[in-house]
Amino acid sequence: MKIGELSERTGIPTRMLRYYEQQGLITPTREANGYRSYSDGDVARAQQIRGLVQSGLSTRLTKLVLEAETVCATQTTVECTPNVAQELADELAAIESRISCLARSRDTVRDFLCRSEHGKKLVPSLSADAQPVSG
């Protein structure tokens, strides 16, 4: 598929997809005419990249995470430099902190919607027997 179709399927602007390519995050093949050609696998990868970047990771750290994911999928024991290990440990702590913050925010929004007549109508999973989360 061409870059325009990848953009349509992922909701990611073509300019951003080209930037991801510049950063080595996605690697399309090139057709004889020089056009980029993307696979179905690139759809999921582009969406994952966007999610990681939107969650606060730099593209450099996003690349490290994607590489680590590939290594973990193929190897039981991995090696890295102490600097990379420290960087990933720091990022792990930051991710855990963001997840905790997001979980508290989710619980607050859920609690508010559970107590709201309109919230129960808009979000069917907030049934009458759903218990508000106390914080």
Side-chain angles (χ1 to χ4, degrees), residues 2-3 18 21 28-38:
K2 304 279 186 279
I3 196 167
R18 287 186 193 99
E21 182 183 353
T29 58
R30 292 283 182 160
E31 296 179 2
N33 60 7
Y35 287 6
R36 293 168 177 86
S37 181
Y38 296 92

Side-chain angles (χ1 to χ4, degrees), residues 1 4 6 8 10 24 35 37 42 46 71 76 99 119-120 126-127:
M1 82 185 77
L6 180 64
E8 283 181 30
T10 61
Y35 287 6
S37 181
D42 289 323
V71 169
T76 55
I99 288 171
K120 291 176 192 172
L126 301 175
S127 66

